[in-house]
Amino acid sequence: MFSKTNLLDLDRPQLAEFLEGIGEAAFRSQQLFKWIHQRGIVDFNAMTDLSKSLREKLAEKAVINVPVFEREHYSEDGTLKWLFPVDNANSVEAVFIPETGRGTLCVSSQAGCALECTFCATGREGFNRNLKVSEIIGQLWLAQNRFPQADNLGARLDGVSASRVVSNVVFMGMGEPLTNYDNVVHALRIMLDDFAYGLSRRKVTVSTSGIVPNIDRLREDCPVSLAVSLHAPNDALRSELVPINKKYPIAELMEACKRYTDSSLGSVVSGVKWQRRGSPRDFVTLEYIMLDGVNDSQEHARQLINITEGVPCKVNLIPFNPFDNSGFHRSPDTAVTNFQKILIKSGLVTTVRKTRGDDIAGACGQLAGQVENRRSPRRKTSTDSLSIQ
Ligand code: SAH
Ligand code: SF4
């Protein structure tokens, strides 16, 4: 059966190709991109600078299916969480965090996650499926179009003006972005495209539990900021907390971080913005959840200093976000401060993440959505069976 193409699934070169395929000029993709992504228009008839015949042809061959959220939760601190049904059985979540001078959108890349990190609510749900490009970029489309323009300029939160415009995107919602590689890269390209959202590649961050080969590919295909979920300073502990470590152990992961930041390695050079020579960022952010009595001792801090020797990085200590039956507890503030002091003394730039959206379970690792698990984590180990695109 003939099915219409959802234009939200296409980056600009793909849209140009689609237009050529229906006998139209490729450069029209620029106009169409602006209508869809900048003005939020999904009705071809309203695209007044396109000829009537093109509009009719588009209506016949294409659709623009944007996500519709099922629920919206406001947190006391201004954080907003949306739940999107992506099909009959699955929902995913996106979180918007308004701050003074910037607005950060945390997006999901999969319904569930196969990687089974023991401290993560998404990992406990198991994996259902990869999100399509339209389902990833749709989260940004929705966040940008949710508020009337006037309201976009600044929301008042606790007496300060906070931005409701998305200036930063982090792939820290549900799923492992680098195991949904192709779709994530297309979505990234749309985020960076000046005819769409025009985000700076430094302000778009892919967070990964450490899929080494795809860290290398990302550097070539669409270098953006990289966060690596480290969480443990030795292989024995990391393999327990982040089981993918058995496949890509710490030493390999640290080498991949060095390559990602190495500006002397040539990358593909072309006229397009997402492919540039040089390193995407001069450092990688290493995420480290502070788990009481598990990975937060002074000895762990010293081990962390050793394994990051020579790695251009910044460490971000993350307070654990609890969820039912997690079996873990947040490290006390004193443990976090002592850990941070040891790292800073060794010269490692170390920050502690502020938690936001706690009251709506909107913080990282708490995004459970609703996933019909086709692959129960208790039955299969993802590190053995994981297939990487
Ligand atoms: N799969 C990717 C991105 C999604 S998880 C990754 O693992 O990096 C985004 C971040 O939330 C990761 O750093 C992850 O380790 C962290 N996280 C998971 N569960 C958490 C929890 N309960 N509390 C705090 N952070 C958590
Ligand atoms: Fe997946 Fe990331 Fe959660 Fe690990 S922390 S289970 S990789 S979403």
Side-chain angles (χ1 to χ4, degrees):
M1 202 185 74
F2 166 77
S3 69
K4 295 183 179 185
T5 302
N6 183 5
L7 300 190
L8 214 60
D9 273 315
L10 309 182
D11 63 24
R12 200 151 45 83
Q14 291 173 320
L15 182 57
E17 210 174 292
F18 170 83
L19 288 167
E20 281 178 332
I22 60 168
E24 295 289 336
F27 74 88
R28 295 271 174 223
S29 60
Q30 298 180 356
Q31 278 163 293
L32 253 172
F33 239 46
K34 281 186 172 176
W35 280 113
I36 301 170
H37 296 288
Q38 296 187 349
R39 300 182 190 138
I41 299 295
V42 296
D43 174 4
F44 296 120
N45 255 327
M47 301 180 177
T48 45
D49 60 357
L50 302 182
S51 71
K52 190 150 184 283
S53 70
L54 173 54
R55 282 186 266 154
E56 280 168 3
K57 215 188 263 183
L58 285 171
E60 196 188 310
K61 310 254 186 224
V63 283
I64 303 167
N65 274 340
V66 293
V68 179
F69 63 87
E70 189 176 75
R71 263 180 279 154
E72 180 176 64
H73 298 272
Y74 272 90
S75 164
E76 281 166 12
D77 64 15
T79 302
L80 260 163
K81 181 169 84 167
W82 294 287
L83 186 74
F84 303 96
V86 286
D87 51 49
N88 291 339
N90 300 288
S91 300
V92 299
E93 290 167 328
V95 179
F96 180 63
I97 306 156
E99 286 174 284
T100 312
R102 69 173 179 183
T104 303
L105 182 70
C106 176
V107 295
S108 293
S109 55
Q110 297 179 314
C113 183
L115 297 195
E116 305 167 25
C117 300
T118 46
F119 49 80
C120 172
T122 308
R124 295 273 175 107
E125 294 245 325
F127 175 72
N128 192 277
R129 70 167 176 84
N130 284 330
L131 295 190
K132 297 183 231 166
V133 177
S134 53
E135 292 165 338
I136 300 171
I137 203 68
Q139 298 168 56
L140 178 54
W141 186 95
L142 178 112
Q144 287 291 51
N145 289 290
R146 180 70 191 99
F147 303 104
Q149 289 302 312
D151 200 18
N152 259 339
L153 297 174
R156 303 292 299 177
L157 295 173
D158 299 331
V160 291
S161 173
S163 175
R164 270 196 180 156
V165 179
V166 179
S167 58
N168 297 57
V169 173
V170 294
F171 279 76
M172 294 187 182
M174 298 169 71
E176 166 51 52
L178 295 190
T179 58
N180 182 13
Y181 186 81
D182 290 343
N183 291 347
V184 164
V185 165
H186 286 298
L188 287 170
R189 289 174 176 177
I190 301 171
M191 289 175 185
L192 303 192
D193 195 314
D194 284 338
F195 290 95
Y197 302 91
L199 295 176
S200 144
R201 66 201 171 95
R202 287 170 179 253
K203 293 186 176 176
V204 176
T205 303
V206 166
S207 176
T208 178
S209 54
I211 313 294
V212 167
N214 285 353
I215 292 178
D216 288 328
R217 286 173 73 194
L218 186 67
R219 184 181 188 287
E220 298 303 314
D221 291 336
C222 193
V224 289
S225 292
L226 186 71
V228 168
S229 296
L230 187 62
H231 307 319
N234 62 66
D235 281 322
L237 182 57
R238 187 163 194 269
S239 294
E240 268 179 46
L241 298 175
V242 185
I244 195 71
N245 189 70
K246 291 179 207 147
K247 194 161 181 176
Y248 304 115
I250 291 175
E252 277 183 40
L253 183 55
M254 293 301 105
E255 286 306 313
C257 291
K258 284 190 204 165
R259 289 193 294 277
Y260 200 80
T261 49
D262 187 347
S263 57
S264 66
L265 291 174
S267 60
V268 184
V269 182
S270 77
V272 255
K273 183 182 169 192
W274 54 75
Q275 292 177 328
R276 298 175 54 147
R277 184 178 291 283
S279 64
R281 202 68 160 115
D282 40 16
F283 64 88
V284 166
T285 302
L286 301 178
E287 310 276 3
Y288 195 101
I289 300 185
M290 296 295 284
L291 300 167
D292 187 23
V294 175
N295 65 355
D296 61 349
S297 71
Q298 303 199 357
E299 176 55 22
H300 290 125
R302 283 190 284 273
Q303 289 178 4
L304 184 54
I305 293 165
N306 285 337
I307 62 162
T308 53
E309 184 75 46
V311 182
C313 64
K314 177 188 139 197
V315 177
N316 194 17
L317 302 177
I318 308 174
F320 171 63
N321 290 313
F323 57 91
D324 284 350
N325 304 319
S326 76
F328 293 103
H329 300 281
R330 199 175 268 195
S331 300
D333 288 350
T334 48
V336 178
T337 312
N338 288 339
F339 201 90
Q340 183 186 23
K341 272 188 192 153
I342 297 172
L343 299 187
I344 288 177
K345 208 166 157 211
S346 81
L348 269 174
V349 176
T350 309
T351 50
V352 179
R353 181 184 291 167
K354 259 195 308 178
T355 55
R356 297 285 303 265
D358 272 359
D359 56 327
I360 54 164
C364 285
Q366 285 182 315
L367 303 185
Q370 186 187 316
V371 173
E372 181 153 282
N373 183 9
R374 293 209 193 109
R375 195 200 291 183
S376 162
R378 303 291 153 242
R379 279 186 275 123
K380 241 180 186 174
T381 55
S382 61
T383 42
D384 299 333
S385 60
L386 184 75
S387 70
I388 296 165
Q389 276 186 28

